[in-house]
Amino acid sequence: SQKIEQNSEALNIQEGKTATLTCNYTNYSPAYLQWYRQDPGRGPVFLLLIRENEKEKRKERLKVTFDTTLKQSLFHITASQPADSATYLCALGSTDGLTFGKGTHLIIQP
Amino acid sequence: ETGVTQTPRHLVMGMTNKKSLKCEQHLGHNAMYWYKQSAKKPLELMFVYSLEERVENNSVPSRFSPECPNSSHLFLHLHTLQPEDSALYLCASSQWRSYNEQFFGPGTRLTVL
């Protein structure tokens, strides 16, 4: 069956460092992959989309990589700030829509 | 503000009650979704509507009944729910089903007693 794994339920990073979140998947061949941010009590907010034929995407301090051979996506936040603290969701996409991972709770400590 | 609104934000109901959740989007999107989010579990897709027609029902129990009267509104009718149905119910919309970002509402926190 399809499986999506996001690294550790919680990740603590010191302010100013780069936070790297991992999304691994099995038994799936996504056409694209998305990352979302979710704050407590709120719905997810879209951050980035990367297609299967793209290696890397950037948006301001965010960078996403997509390796279809390793079946892995990495999500980087550079120069992290306490305001970046949230849960980050990886979602695999096909023509049918999205399948979400459980998310990683990122905590940026001042 | 994401452009997707949901009401009510919180709902407490007994197992014999009937209630409805409402979702509204004025983004001109063609696809709308209902998701269930429980603690420690990934977002679970419940229903998908594309151009006002239901295209997916992921084996959701019949005590959940969706309705999409037009492209801007989506309802989730609830009846004879179980305590394990307590969760955050999220509505989302997107321009099309694939290759598009989804815009989520704030969710309805449902508690079934």
Side-chain angles (χ1 to χ4, degrees):
Chain A
S1 61
Q2 299 171 359
K3 193 174 181 182
I4 303 170
E5 287 188 358
Q6 293 193 241
N7 64 321
S8 65
E9 286 192 16
L11 188 63
N12 284 273
I13 300 291
Q14 192 175 4
E15 182 178 6
K17 302 290 185 183
T18 296
T20 298
L21 284 63
T22 304
C23 176
N24 294 299
Y25 59 91
T26 55
N27 298 322
Y28 204 99
S29 296
Y32 60 99
L33 189 148
Q34 298 183 359
W35 283 88
Y36 287 78
R37 168 182 173 145
Q38 186 172 21
D39 291 285
R42 306 186 73 170
V45 175
F46 170 80
L47 297 174
L48 283 166
L49 179 153
I50 186 165
R51 296 171 182 255
E52 61 178 338
N53 61 348
E54 297 175 315
K55 296 289 186 184
E56 183 179 298
K57 259 300 183 52
R58 290 176 185 261
K59 179 182 176 183
E60 297 172 351
R61 293 185 297 112
L62 309 180
K63 184 178 86 171
V64 171
T65 63
F66 191 11
D67 189 325
T68 55
T69 301
L70 290 179
K71 294 186 180 297
Q72 180 183 77
S73 175
L74 298 179
F75 177 80
H76 306 273
I77 304 176
T78 58
S80 59
Q81 305 165 1
D84 295 326
S85 299
T87 296
Y88 290 85
L89 308 175
C90 163
L92 305 185
S94 69
T95 52
D96 293 331
L98 296 176
T99 302
F100 283 86
K102 287 184 182 180
T104 296
H105 182 46
L106 177 65
I107 302 165
I108 306 299
Q109 296 175 331
Chain B
E1 182 60 46
T2 64
V4 179
T5 59
Q6 289 186 244
T7 55
R9 294 294 306 277
H10 301 273
L11 178 62
V12 179
M13 59 187 289
M15 292 167 60
T16 59
N17 292 157
K18 288 185 180 181
K19 297 286 184 183
S20 295
L21 309 184
K22 179 182 176 182
C23 175
E24 190 169 347
Q25 61 93 3
H26 294 288
L27 301 170
H29 289 168
N30 298 293
M32 296 187 76
Y33 314 79
W34 279 116
Y35 288 91
K36 175 183 178 183
Q37 188 173 39
S38 305
K40 306 295 185 184
K41 293 179 72 175
L43 277 167
E44 299 173 53
L45 179 63
M46 299 176 72
F47 300 102
V48 180
Y49 277 82
S50 181
L51 298 172
E52 300 164 43
E53 287 191 16
R54 187 194 303 182
V55 295
E56 190 163 335
N57 174 356
N58 285 306
S59 302
V60 177
S62 59
R63 57 186 183 268
F64 295 92
S65 175
E67 179 190 1
C68 187
N70 55 61
S71 60
S72 300
H73 294 86
L74 186 65
F75 294 89
L76 187 62
H77 303 299
L78 316 171
H79 64 97
T80 59
L81 295 191
Q82 305 298 312
E84 60 264 30
D85 296 322
S86 298
L88 181 68
Y89 288 84
L90 290 160
C91 173
S93 71
S94 63
Q95 187 64 48
W96 302 106
R97 281 187 71 191
S98 58
Y99 290 99
N100 291 147
E101 62 182 284
Q102 293 188 11
F103 291 78
F104 284 82
T108 295
R109 174 66 63 184
L110 173 67
T111 303
V112 181
L113 301 176

